[in-house]
Amino acid sequence: MDVSLILQLAVLLGAIFLGVRLGGMAIGYTGGLGVVVLALGLGMKPGHIPSDVILIIMAVIAAISAMQLAGGLDFLVRVAERILRRNPKNITFLAPAVTYGLTLLAGTGHTAYSMMPVIVEVAKGENIKPSAPLSVAVVASQVAITASPVSAAVVFMSGLLEPLGVSYPKLLLIWISTTFAACMLTALCVNLFSDLDLSNDVEYQRRVKEGLVSPAIKEDTRVELPAGAKKSVLIFTLGVLAVVVYACLISPALGIIKEPVLPRDGAIVSFMMLIAALIVLACRLDTGKLMEMSTFKSGMAACVCVLGVAWLGDTFVAGHIEAVKETASALVGAYPWLLAVALFFASMLLYSQAATAKALMPAVVLALGITPSHTEGVEILVASFAAVSALFVLPTYPTLLGAVQMDDTGSTRIGRFVFNHSFLIPGIVAIVLSVTLGFIVAPMLI
């Protein structure tokens, strides 16, 4: 093997590993470090900065932050809480359905934070281990990113696939139906094969004896919501629908608007900024408080992470594009499911659905020789897309850590060997089912 390739690969993996160890936005920092070493130290040409993905994330987060300040997120959480509390025995199914729905609407899995305390309280009240609904709910919030019409990952993939003859509505239909069904089937597996009896959990018993477990809260005791809460949700929802409708109208595969004034990326960014402006005006918000919102902070952190790791990944892949094309063409052509495996492990390291898709999918399109006039194999890309959601493998992702910290029963835990945590098996099952269903549904609709 070429010595320079070994050094470049070592820099790539070393930068990612260091970022994972440092945690948080540091993976973005170390991604930039890796680009510097590859470019100035090893003479590689820097790849493309993922500015389109970053701008979409920023715009969506800007709108969500305004909705959160107006009380809209709290309103959505209370609606979801009522659903959970009215059907407590079905918490294992309802919890992932709720977090999936929130992510589908908002385009970010960080909305799951707001539901975690409710899931824990409802589960404790029914003597159900919170780890069961929490694990599937967190996984569902990640998988739903690959189905959300306003997520950067879906926008990028639709832009890549539509010129190849797959319309935006078809993509949403395939990804929403397969990923949601997979999450519900995963919840069924957890419900059938897990020991749900909380009272039998040894760690829970220990914590009860030491007084570390708070009693389940049966009623909502929070303060009244701001006057503009419902209004902000209505504005945001109508805005998302407008984005979907416009994206369908300008879809090259449908050809309704052949020469759009605004391309899809520009439309999503501008529509989201418009939504934010309307919420600020309609709800009379103090814009100085927008940067204090948790969604704003987590969204900006995501931008830094995507900037670093996607740029690093593109730099490495672009420098070896011919070898990548040759290898991918041979392996994926013979074994289509290997693309899903590659996306799974890449997303485990890159910590972003959008960054993973941006780094690998264009190279796979070239490797398989897929063009607008030769679309054979495009269903492989559509079906495998859900595999970019393996952010749960390393137990360092914020939503995983948040779930562990909020479960005071101790049933949601990270094991001694790091990988044996509560989210690994449900996550793998959800992705395997999503990809399997994708390979069944995609060829039928494309």
Side-chain angles (χ1 to χ4, degrees):
M1 183 181 290
D2 188 359
V3 175
S4 62
L5 175 60
I6 295 176
L7 291 175
Q8 292 161 5
L9 186 61
V11 170
L12 172 72
L13 297 179
I16 294 172
F17 177 76
L18 178 59
V20 171
R21 288 292 303 270
L22 294 175
M25 287 195 300
I27 193 169
Y29 299 159
T30 57
L33 169 64
V35 172
V36 171
V37 175
L38 289 178
L40 300 182
L42 299 177
M44 294 191 74
K45 182 181 178 180
H48 296 289
I49 297 176
S51 55
D52 51 349
V53 172
I54 293 171
L55 290 174
I56 290 169
I57 295 174
M58 290 177 64
V60 172
I61 290 300
I64 294 175
S65 299
M67 182 172 68
Q68 183 181 18
L69 182 58
L73 276 186
D74 288 333
F75 171 74
L76 288 174
V77 168
R78 292 195 186 187
V79 172
E81 181 175 352
R82 289 192 204 107
I83 295 172
L84 295 180
R85 291 192 184 279
R86 288 176 182 174
N87 304 274
K89 294 187 183 298
N90 297 317
I91 183 69
T92 308
F93 296 96
L94 292 176
V98 165
T99 56
Y100 183 98
L102 288 174
T103 300
L104 194 72
L105 175 66
T108 172
H110 293 291
T111 52
Y113 285 121
S114 54
M115 291 309 306
M116 290 176 186
V118 181
I119 295 171
V120 172
E121 295 301 327
V122 174
K124 284 195 297 187
E126 291 298 314
N127 192 39
I128 295 174
K129 289 182 180 178
S131 60
L134 271 179
S135 61
V136 191
V138 169
V139 168
S141 71
Q142 295 181 357
V143 173
I145 290 290
T146 60
S148 171
V150 292
S151 76
V154 167
V155 172
F156 172 76
M157 283 297 293
S158 61
L160 181 70
L161 295 171
E162 279 200 298
L164 303 178
V166 189
S167 68
Y168 182 70
K170 280 186 180 180
L171 289 173
L172 288 183
L173 177 60
I174 293 169
W175 290 333
I176 292 175
S177 62
T178 56
T179 56
F180 182 73
C183 290
M184 292 301 97
L185 289 172
T186 302
L188 177 62
C189 293
V190 170
N191 203 58
L192 290 176
F193 301 111
S194 298
D195 179 11
L196 301 179
D197 191 341
L198 177 60
S199 60
N200 289 335
D201 189 84
V202 176
E203 177 63 16
Y204 172 69
Q205 293 172 352
R206 182 189 70 80
R207 294 192 178 200
V208 169
K209 289 180 181 178
E210 296 180 7
L212 300 176
V213 181
S214 60
I217 301 173
K218 296 296 183 180
E219 297 181 358
D220 184 9
T221 58
R222 290 172 290 187
V223 298
E224 186 178 351
L225 290 171
K230 294 181 182 179
K231 191 185 299 182
S232 68
V233 172
L234 177 61
I235 294 172
F236 187 85
T237 303
L238 291 176
V240 171
L241 290 175
V243 168
V244 174
V245 171
Y246 184 82
C248 292
L249 291 176
I250 66 172
S251 170
L254 296 180
I256 298 174
I257 299 178
K258 299 185 182 299
E259 296 182 3
V261 177
L262 271 176
R264 181 183 292 105
D265 290 4
I268 289 179
V269 171
S270 57
F271 277 39
M272 284 295 150
M273 299 300 278
L274 171 62
I275 291 168
L278 291 176
I279 292 174
V280 169
L281 291 171
C283 302
R284 299 180 181 180
L285 301 182
D286 180 358
T287 55
K289 296 181 179 179
L290 286 170
M291 290 183 289
E292 299 173 9
M293 297 297 100
S294 60
T295 50
F296 182 86
K297 295 176 182 178
S298 61
M300 293 306 105
C303 287
V304 173
C305 292
V306 170
L307 170 60
V309 296
W311 193 11
L312 174 63
D314 190 77
T315 298
F316 181 82
V317 171
H320 301 281
I321 189 63
E322 293 303 322
V324 170
K325 285 169 57 178
E326 183 179 344
T327 304
S329 178
L331 293 178
V332 177
Y335 308 100
W337 52 269
L338 280 179
L339 174 58
V341 175
L343 293 173
F344 182 96
F345 284 104
S347 64
M348 180 183 80
L349 297 174
L350 295 181
Y351 259 36
S352 167
Q353 292 93 336
T356 304
K358 183 87 174 176
L360 296 185
M361 284 300 197
V364 175
V365 171
L366 291 174
L368 296 180
I370 302 174
T371 64
S373 59
H374 182 269
T375 59
E376 184 180 354
V378 71
E379 69 278 358
I380 298 174
L381 280 72
V382 177
S384 301
F385 178 47
V388 301
S389 296
L391 283 61
F392 55 82
V393 176
L394 296 174
T396 53
Y397 198 72
T399 48
L400 271 71
L401 296 176
V404 173
Q405 292 166 359
M406 292 182 195
D407 182 7
D408 60 356
T409 69
S411 67
T412 308
R413 57 178 76 105
I414 298 173
R416 182 183 304 175
F417 302 106
V418 181
F419 288 100
N420 59 328
H421 52 77
S422 301
F423 310 91
L424 184 64
I425 294 178
I428 292 175
V429 170
I431 286 187
V432 169
L433 290 173
S434 294
V435 173
T436 301
L437 291 173
F439 272 101
I440 294 173
V441 175
M444 295 169 57
L445 297 180
I446 296 176

